[in-house]
Amino acid sequence: MHSRSQAEEGVRSTAATTLDKDDLIVITGAGGFIAGALTRYFHEQGFKRLRAVDKKPLPAWYQRVPGVENLSMDLSDPEACTRAVAGAREVYNLAADMGGMGFIERFRIECLRSVLINTHMIEAAYRAGVERFFFSSSACAYNVELQKDPDVRALKESDAYPAMAERGYGWEKLMSEMFCEEYWSERGLKTYIARFHNVYGPYGTWDGGREKAPAALSRKVIEAQDSGDLEITIWGDGTQTRSFMYIDDCVLGVDMIMHCDDLIATPINLGSSDLISINDLVSLIEDIASVVLTRHYDLDAPRGVAGRNSDNTFILDVLGWEPDTPLRQGLAQTYAWIEQQYADRKAGRPTPAGTATASPLAH
Ligand code: NAD
């Protein structure tokens, strides 16, 4: 019999309706973009015991939220995972060695090695008796054969199989999703799996080689204005299409997915369903910056799949919600933050991006 979804019942459970404010929440990858925003979100919700973990040294974290226990540890080590999850009621595992296309096409070994983090984190969480475990998967888990046309059909959850994921990064995500599914079915650990589609916003990577298109293009527009050389180089021919989810929608979605018991061990899209070409994205950023640049296209640069969009039928059905921040609004916030970071760096003030490790080959 079909049980009524949370959306049908008109209720949406979240951490605030499920946990006590002094329950321990652990967030990994918290020196990075999304998990940093998630830590701040829980702090703003009044949670008093937050543990944030990342392998980067603390000065390189994008956000250090007041009152949070910040641990700098490498979670590919099983002992570090045991330490990270001790006493936790919920674990949000977002740590991964990742970046935009420029990174994941070049550093497949690093991407694959995130399986160490995910293997040890889920086992440690299970042993520690954690109640709920969240895993950040990716749209890169989807079959690439379905993404060869810019005028793409949006990807629905069943499109991951038969599997032909993005080489390296996508296969690792699929494998780690399977861990989540089996830890639930064999061992009863409640796991939750969101397949994020491109996320953008302030406090994320904007240079150094790991940045994704919205941040990279914003930086290029800022650089062009600063140098007076009003030109921009775009990777690929600009016809590639994507959808972009604002960070505030992402963290809210993570919270709702984690507390929806219709979604245990069930991968779900978390992304915007608003498709845009890279050329139109550049126009939007130019508009925000009040500038028009001469465009050049680098056809040899990494460009990823031709088109990718999120089919939100399932999330609308189960949560009655989908990410809906207008792209222009989110981009304006992002652009303003990157512009400030750029100015700070130029003035010699410390910025997190200035201390982050850009390339795995550097260490
Ligand atoms: P990010 O690179 O900003 O954050 C990831 C963090 O994990 C980094 O700070 C990194 O230092 C940390 N990390 C890497 N290896 C570690 C280790 N061994 N031990 C401890 N920490 C380690 O990336 P993000 O954009 O915030 O992504 C967060 C999660 O969401 C990742 O799992 C990523 O694959 C997933 N995701 C992101 C997007 C996106 O558009 N940003 C899209 C799909 C999926």
Side-chain angles (χ1 to χ4, degrees), residues 32-34 54-55 74-75 94 96 136 169 173 199 212:
F33 170 42
I34 301 173
D54 200 290
K55 84 171 173 191
D74 183 346
L75 295 169
L94 283 83
S136 50
Y169 178 71
K173 291 291 189 193
V199 190
K212 300 186 135 208

Side-chain angles (χ1 to χ4, degrees), residues 28-35 53-56 62 73-76 93-99 114 117 135-139 169 173 195-200 204-205 210 212:
T28 77
F33 170 42
I34 301 173
V53 190
D54 200 290
K55 84 171 173 191
K56 289 192 293 205
Y62 287 108
M73 295 197 302
D74 183 346
L75 295 169
S76 58
N93 184 29
L94 283 83
D97 217 343
M98 66 88 67
S114 290
I117 304 172
F135 172 58
S136 50
S137 186
S138 165
Y169 178 71
K173 291 291 189 193
R195 290 189 186 136
F196 296 167
H197 291 246
N198 294 299
V199 190
Y200 73 98
T205 313
R210 290 178 188 258
K212 300 186 135 208

Side-chain angles (χ1 to χ4, degrees), residues 11 74 82 89 102 168 309 312:
V11 287
D74 183 346
T82 303
R89 189 156 170 205
N309 197 6
N312 285 350

Side-chain angles (χ1 to χ4, degrees), residues 219-232 293:
R219 188 204 67 231
K220 288 180 184 181
V221 170
I222 293 163
E223 284 169 348
Q225 281 193 308
D226 185 41
S227 67
D229 181 11
L230 296 181
E231 305 193 7
I232 187 167
L293 304 176

